[in-house]
Amino acid sequence: MAQEVKLTVKQADTLRSRVQSATRASAEATFHLCELLHESFISVVNTNKGWKFVWEYWGYKTWFDFVEIEVGMHETTANSYKKIWEVFGIELNGAWDFADALPVTKMRILSAADINKRNVKAWLHKAARMTCCELQAEVYGTEVMHTLAVSVSKRELQTINKALKAARGDYENPKKVTRGELLLGIVKDWQQARAKDDPKLKLVG
């Protein structure tokens, strides 16, 4: 456990100001990165070998390789950043001040909200006063959501994504089913299959 650092009231207030300043700068820089990632995904350049995506021109086989190597970011994270720009930088452009961008976690959650040019300012103001978990519950209309992070190889991730894609076909409205719901469905199916061999196995949900 970290050792406590004793501060005066003035020092505590100064620390809070520094945190707020760094958070503001980080939010602005990250929102700009969202724009750049979007541009890197859609931009093409005319080379002596014809038109190529810029990431091909830069020597990469896929956009995935570009963001993994140069940006140091998983493709799923980069895709969520790209979605933030598509929503807030393009669809809602002109309806809000880019200087009011929130930290990226909240912007990512809001990009899934029923948000438009009429209510974007209200959403941003509301989200600024909520925890990330509260905002998730507000946007998705469900209980507070949690993120499951697991480490897998690229090949294992491809296998998982194929399984989730296959599972999506089992639902009447597949586009409305989240990846979390798909994963839970697979786990329940596995448990039911195991329960046939072991009746003592307790089912989830």
Side-chain angles (χ1 to χ4, degrees):
M1 182 176 178
Q3 184 176 356
E4 291 183 352
V5 177
K6 295 181 179 180
L7 302 177
T8 64
V9 171
K10 182 178 180 180
Q11 289 173 325
D13 290 339
T14 299
L15 176 59
R16 185 181 187 187
S17 295
R18 291 169 58 199
V19 171
Q20 291 172 335
S21 177
T23 301
R24 177 77 264 136
S26 175
E28 292 177 0
T30 303
F31 188 63
H32 183 48
L33 178 58
C34 293
E35 176 186 10
L36 297 177
L37 288 174
H38 178 266
E39 287 188 22
S40 74
F41 183 78
I42 65 172
S43 298
V44 294
V45 58
N46 191 7
T47 70
N48 56 9
K49 294 183 179 181
W51 289 96
K52 291 180 177 292
F53 283 105
V54 290
W55 43 263
E56 289 181 291
Y57 170 67
W58 296 332
Y60 294 98
K61 293 182 179 180
T62 65
W63 186 69
F64 169 84
D65 290 336
F66 163 66
V67 297
E68 283 271 346
I69 295 172
E70 283 206 21
V71 186
M73 181 183 292
H74 283 304
E75 185 181 29
T76 51
T77 302
N79 276 327
S80 69
Y81 277 39
K82 183 163 61 69
K83 174 68 179 298
I84 290 171
W85 180 256
E86 290 169 353
V87 172
F88 288 93
I90 298 177
E91 296 175 15
L92 302 176
N93 186 25
W96 68 290
D97 189 341
F98 285 2
D100 293 332
L102 298 175
V104 67
T105 300
K106 290 187 175 182
M107 295 295 282
R108 184 170 61 242
I109 297 170
L110 285 174
S111 67
D114 184 15
I115 196 167
N116 54 54
K117 289 187 174 182
R118 296 187 301 276
N119 64 20
V120 58
K121 290 183 179 179
W123 264 114
L124 289 168
H125 181 71
K126 184 176 184 179
R129 306 192 311 273
M130 303 174 74
T131 68
C132 294
C133 289
E134 289 171 342
L135 182 59
Q136 279 187 318
E138 179 77 14
V139 169
Y140 292 104
T142 61
E143 61 183 317
V144 174
M145 306 297 287
H146 297 276
T147 299
L148 172 66
V150 294
S151 298
V152 296
S153 67
K154 183 176 180 180
R155 179 172 296 181
E156 289 168 338
L157 179 60
Q158 291 173 340
T159 300
I160 292 170
N161 284 333
K162 286 181 181 178
L164 293 175
K165 184 177 181 180
R168 192 175 292 278
D170 296 336
Y171 292 83
E172 185 175 343
N173 296 308
K175 291 185 178 180
K176 294 184 178 181
V177 183
T178 67
R179 288 169 64 86
E181 290 170 334
L182 292 172
L183 180 58
L184 181 59
I186 292 173
V187 171
K188 286 184 175 181
D189 287 345
W190 174 85
Q191 279 210 321
Q192 289 174 354
R194 282 289 306 276
K196 292 179 180 179
D197 299 327
D198 184 1
K200 295 181 180 179
L201 182 66
K202 184 179 180 181
L203 299 181
V204 299

